[in-house]
Amino acid sequence: MKFFIDTANLDEIKTAINFGFLDGVTTNPSLMAKEGISDQETRIKEICRLTDGPVSAEVLAVDTLGMLAEGRRLASLAPNIAVKLPLTMEGLEATKTLSGDGVKVNLTLVFSPLQALLAAKAGAAYVSPFVGRLDDIGQDGFRLVEEIIGVYNNYAFDTEIIVASVRHPQHVLRAALSGADISTIPFKVIKQLAYHPLTDKGLKEFLADHEKAAKK
Ligand code: E4P
């Protein structure tokens, strides 16, 4: 499974790259706003200078022509851009055109397997089911991921599934167990992945035992 980081924060991206297992980055307008950024393009270019992996950059337009214009502009910023479009009828129409022109599209805000089927048929490179937001309303977000995998396994689609809206390490584990292609993970959760209290306890004991032996 590939690991993307879900952030617009450059320090978080640099740190995750140094961890050694980062495959790409996803952003969205809310993550940009959290960083106080209104000029998305400058930040996207900065992110693309840090990584060769796919970087998802989301359009703000909601109409097809606006998405096409904005998507083409974003795609021209760097060779590793994936244009992120909302899974609406307009987003699907824009996906068909952009994908046909060789632009990678990530269809976002996906909450049903039928939306994911449409994304694949439109030629999207990525589809992003939001597991955390479904859990938030009392549903099982991973049922959606499993259903999308089930549908995609029946056909020969190339669309990769990005498990998005990840809230905690269990989501990452379930993404890996389900066989999803990618998990896009907030920095806070990336740090939690390596932590186990027994690892820390065991390390402390190893070092204390060594100290005792060295003093003998
Ligand atoms: C995915 O690409 C989105 O940026 C993201 O995962 C949304 O997650 P949220 O539900 O935590 O906002």
Side-chain angles (χ1 to χ4, degrees):
M1 185 173 72
K2 284 175 263 186
F3 278 38
F4 288 3
I5 187 168
D6 199 24
T7 187
N9 181 290
L10 296 179
D11 288 333
E12 290 182 357
I13 295 168
K14 284 181 204 159
T15 308
I17 288 170
N18 290 339
F19 285 159
F21 50 76
L22 195 74
D23 300 297
V25 180
T26 53
T27 65
N28 66 37
S30 300
L31 292 169
M32 289 283 180
K34 197 172 150 203
E35 300 303 313
I37 294 163
S38 52
D39 173 13
Q40 290 203 79
E41 293 192 9
T42 301
R43 178 49 57 98
I44 290 294
K45 281 194 264 185
E46 289 169 331
I47 295 173
C48 289
R49 278 197 286 273
L50 295 177
T51 178
D52 292 335
V55 174
S56 287
E58 188 157 343
V59 301
L60 297 168
V62 291
D63 63 299
T64 308
L65 287 180
M67 286 187 206
L68 285 173
E70 212 181 324
R72 287 193 176 111
R73 200 169 58 246
L74 288 170
S76 73
L77 297 178
N80 52 332
I81 295 284
V83 174
K84 211 172 176 192
L85 304 178
L87 194 305
T88 56
M89 291 305 287
E90 293 80 5
L92 287 166
E93 198 181 335
T95 300
K96 186 92 190 150
T97 304
L98 289 172
S99 301
D101 292 347
V103 174
K104 287 197 164 182
V105 176
N106 174 359
L107 274 167
T108 190
L109 290 167
V110 168
F111 294 97
S112 88
L114 287 175
Q115 288 181 316
L117 177 59
L118 293 176
K121 284 183 71 67
Y126 306 102
V127 66
S128 293
F130 275 38
V131 296
R133 292 193 192 187
L134 283 172
D135 288 358
D136 289 347
I137 60 162
Q139 296 187 18
D140 178 6
F142 268 90
R143 192 176 154 78
L144 168 62
V145 174
E146 283 154 12
E147 285 179 345
I148 296 172
I149 291 173
V151 170
Y152 281 14
N153 280 347
N154 288 336
Y155 306 99
F157 296 129
D158 293 327
T159 309
E160 290 189 276
I161 300 169
I162 304 181
V163 172
S165 187
V166 163
R167 301 270 194 263
H168 45 68
Q170 280 301 312
H171 277 155
V172 181
L173 175 61
R174 286 191 71 184
L177 288 171
S178 72
D181 303 285
I182 300 155
S183 186
T184 189
I185 315 169
F187 184 64
K188 185 185 82 158
V189 179
I190 289 182
K191 285 192 297 180
Q192 290 173 329
L193 297 179
Y195 175 75
H196 197 286
L198 291 181
T199 305
D200 285 1
K201 184 170 174 277
L203 180 60
K204 223 167 141 186
E205 285 166 2
F206 285 156
L207 295 176
D209 289 345
H210 170 76
E211 283 296 306
K212 267 188 255 160
K215 278 183 192 148
K216 278 185 188 160

